Amino acid sequence: MKVDLRINGAIRSADIEPRKTLLDALRENFLLNGTHAGCEHGVCGACTVLVDGEPVRSCLMFAVQADGYEITTIEGLAPAPGELSVIQDAFCETHGLQCGYCTPGMILAAHALLQHTVTPTREDIVEAISGNICRCTGYGQIVEAVEFAADRLRKANTPRPHHDGPHHAHAEGVPAAAADKPVVEAK
């Protein structure tokens, strides 16, 4: 089945079996390997991506279900090639990662929190990352990384988008903002 997915701001097209998960489509069809396969049961959070700005387990969602939504992977957070986003940089600065397997999911969960919470409490941060399992760090440095990023974003006075509700267009199949973006074919 041919699907057009809006991934990291670009429309990407591929022939995908209806039973293929978003996780597998991102990795196999679109070669976005930053989204990791962990438990494949929605428990560990390694496969977390943002769908319309909200963290979602991509192993529990079929790729065809993502049609009409904005999908953001870890590759989509960088402001430019070779650069890191504020939250990615904060993880590096505070040593909020060790093996790195959980890191993309943790960063995306934290990014979602920081998009709508200017001054998160420690409890807010713990809640935001609670669906992501880390077997290396003990979470202390991950929480520190999110606090550090929040502080940097506050000081930079960075505008943040409003998430008043779904901003996708199922009737047309492709969001209105996607009309100007190039279509990239995948294998």
Side-chain angles (χ1 to χ4, degrees):
M1 163 177 223
K2 183 168 171 126
V3 295
D4 296 320
L5 300 177
R6 186 171 171 84
I7 304 169
N8 299 328
I11 299 294
R12 309 280 305 262
S13 298
D15 286 318
I16 298 176
E17 294 179 39
R19 67 181 181 189
K20 191 172 219 177
T21 65
L22 180 57
L23 168 65
D24 290 337
L26 290 169
R27 293 180 61 82
E28 296 168 10
N29 295 89
F30 303 111
L31 304 178
L32 295 169
N33 295 316
T35 304
H36 293 157
C39 66
E40 298 191 55
H41 296 289
V43 176
C44 73
C47 68
T48 300
V49 298
L50 302 180
V51 176
D52 278 355
E54 295 300 319
V56 170
R57 304 293 186 271
S58 63
C59 73
L60 296 180
M61 183 177 198
F62 292 117
V64 296
Q65 291 176 298
D67 186 26
Y69 293 90
E70 173 65 35
I71 302 159
T72 305
T73 68
I74 192 69
E75 293 90 347
L77 287 189
E83 295 182 15
L84 297 175
S85 71
V86 171
I87 187 73
Q88 289 170 313
D89 186 60
F91 267 69
C92 293
E93 294 257 346
T94 62
H95 306 285
L97 60 118
Q98 285 182 22
C99 83
Y101 205 79
C102 72
T103 305
M106 288 284 188
I107 287 174
L108 287 164
H111 177 82
L113 170 68
L114 296 179
Q115 288 302 295
H116 56 77
T117 307
V118 176
T119 309
T121 65
R122 184 172 187 80
E123 291 75 27
D124 292 334
I125 295 167
V126 169
E127 175 68 24
I129 65 170
S130 67
N132 298 69
I133 296 173
C134 176
R135 292 180 170 90
C136 302
T137 66
Y139 301 97
Q141 290 164 304
I142 293 170
V143 171
E144 183 184 339
V146 180
E147 290 171 334
F148 188 56
D151 185 54
R152 278 188 172 172
L153 289 169
R154 271 191 312 278
K155 288 177 181 172
N157 200 21
T158 305
R160 299 174 196 195
H162 284 261
H163 292 291
D164 295 330
H167 56 277
H168 55 290
H170 282 290
E172 301 298 322
V174 177
D180 300 328
K181 298 287 184 178
V183 174
V184 180
E185 295 288 331
K187 66 175 186 168

